[in-house]
Amino acid sequence: PNLPTDGSSHITKKVEEAISHGITFVVLSGNFAQQHWEGKFNDNNSNSWHEFSGTDEGLSVEVTNNQILRNQPIMIYLNWQETKGEQADFDLVLVDPLGQIVEYSANQQSGPNDEDTEYVYHMPQMPGLYAIGISYAKETDPTNIPRYTTLDLFSVNNEIEYAVAKSSVVVPGDAKGAIVVGAISNDDGSLEPFSSHGPTNDGKMAPHVVGPNGVTTLAYNGKLFYGTSATTPYVAGITALMLEGSNLTPDQVLEKIHQNAILDTTIEKDTELKTGFGYGALDAMFLLEQ
């Protein structure tokens, strides 16, 4: 989640290189639908702090005692995409339940070669509500604050307040020609709430298809395996069977998946759900007709 899904990352380019050599690549969409926020910088009171909703300048994350016992850090990435010629320099802070700033990231972004990203890592020592804040660095004139720059925030380990599922897909889901997989429940076929939605930052569709999670695997000694990491091998296995004894190109494999994926008619009418389902669910039964 520290890389933009605009096709520019080294990971994305490596996947695209493999695809250009005829290798079919199946990748996960990610598990960040409840751990992602996206939007334009908004500062109605001109104090250089972003307002997530109304006058709320803090994006809450809850830390439990269990997270502390597991030594699981709070990890937040902030990326942004500048448009209309704007040059932006944002900072990122983390405030603990007592209202104290415990971590901050204030990299300077002053030129085209500077990375438009900030990152905080904090090992919490107390449970409770922490808050994430975004400020516009060193700016006192509100007319100079970027209004068109899109902010993209990911929380690696914690669900966040005001989560935005749209565009929560992660690298290399932006690779041209890759087959991107989301997750549905193995029980009722509903979209898992954590399954990342598209589109990518450069407008590509992702995921293309969804598969079941909550499945058993020898790697987990029979325990249920959840996440898009569970569904991607399922689709990759079907893909391998499709390629067996054939000369399908990666584009042809994706088209065949498109033709055989099943999307409920109620989902087709729901724009937001479609960004999570893609073409629909894939069932291996269509292979019997090949």
Side-chain angles (χ1 to χ4, degrees), residues 18-277:
I19 293 168
S20 72
H21 286 84
I23 298 172
T24 298
F25 230 98
V26 186
V27 301
L28 51 80
S29 65
N31 303 326
F32 290 99
Q34 297 169 305
Q35 296 166 221
H36 168 260
W37 177 88
E38 178 183 276
K40 306 293 185 186
F41 186 78
N42 186 47
D43 180 25
N44 289 323
N45 61 4
S46 302
N47 68 348
S48 295
W49 287 93
H50 172 70
E51 293 137 4
F52 290 96
S53 178
T55 60
D56 193 350
E57 297 174 344
L59 188 70
S60 297
V61 297
E62 184 175 3
V63 171
T64 63
N65 280 312
N66 189 41
Q67 180 173 350
I68 295 171
L69 290 173
R70 287 186 286 120
N71 290 319
Q72 189 177 61
I74 301 171
M75 298 171 63
I76 309 295
Y77 288 100
L78 175 67
N79 310 302
W80 58 90
Q81 289 183 297
E82 296 162 351
T83 57
K84 298 191 178 183
E86 292 182 332
Q87 175 67 45
D89 184 3
F90 295 102
D91 292 339
L92 184 66
V93 301
L94 180 68
V95 178
D96 71 9
L98 300 179
Q100 303 297 313
I101 293 177
V102 288
E103 292 291 347
Y104 71 93
S105 179
N107 298 320
Q108 185 175 6
Q109 287 88 20
S110 58
N113 296 322
D114 294 329
E115 289 188 2
D116 294 335
T117 185
E118 300 289 348
Y119 162 66
V120 295
Y121 175 104
H122 178 68
M123 194 68 73
Q125 300 301 311
M126 68 174 73
L129 283 181
Y130 288 68
I132 303 160
I134 300 172
S135 67
Y136 189 67
K138 301 176 183 177
E139 185 55 69
T140 57
D141 184 355
T143 63
N144 291 331
I145 294 176
R147 302 295 182 187
Y148 304 102
T149 296
T150 299
L151 299 168
D152 219 9
L153 183 145
F154 283 91
S155 169
V156 176
N157 294 321
N158 297 80
E159 293 182 11
I160 61 173
E161 185 182 21
Y162 309 128
V164 177
K166 180 183 176 183
S167 296
S168 56
V169 64
V170 292
V171 165
D174 56 336
K176 184 179 179 181
I179 299 165
V180 187
V181 186
I184 56 174
S185 167
N186 195 29
D187 294 327
D188 59 12
S190 62
L191 188 69
E192 292 286 14
F194 56 76
S195 185
S196 289
H197 294 224
T200 63
N201 291 152
D202 57 353
K204 292 189 185 78
M205 177 184 183
H208 298 104
V209 67
V210 290
N213 83 150
V215 295
T216 54
T217 167
L218 291 176
Y220 279 71
N221 295 319
K223 295 179 181 178
L224 295 181
F225 182 23
Y226 291 94
T228 51
S229 292
T231 63
T232 302
Y234 171 85
V235 174
I238 292 176
T239 300
L241 293 172
M242 289 167 60
L243 290 168
E244 191 175 38
S246 73
N247 294 311
L248 294 173
T249 66
D251 284 345
Q252 289 172 331
V253 171
L254 182 55
E255 179 56 30
K256 206 168 186 64
I257 286 175
H258 182 187
Q259 293 170 356
N260 290 281
I262 301 168
L263 188 64
D264 190 277
T265 53
T266 57
I267 298 169
E268 286 182 342
K269 298 175 183 178
D270 190 319
T271 303
E272 184 175 344
L273 267 181
K274 282 191 71 175
T275 63
F277 270 93

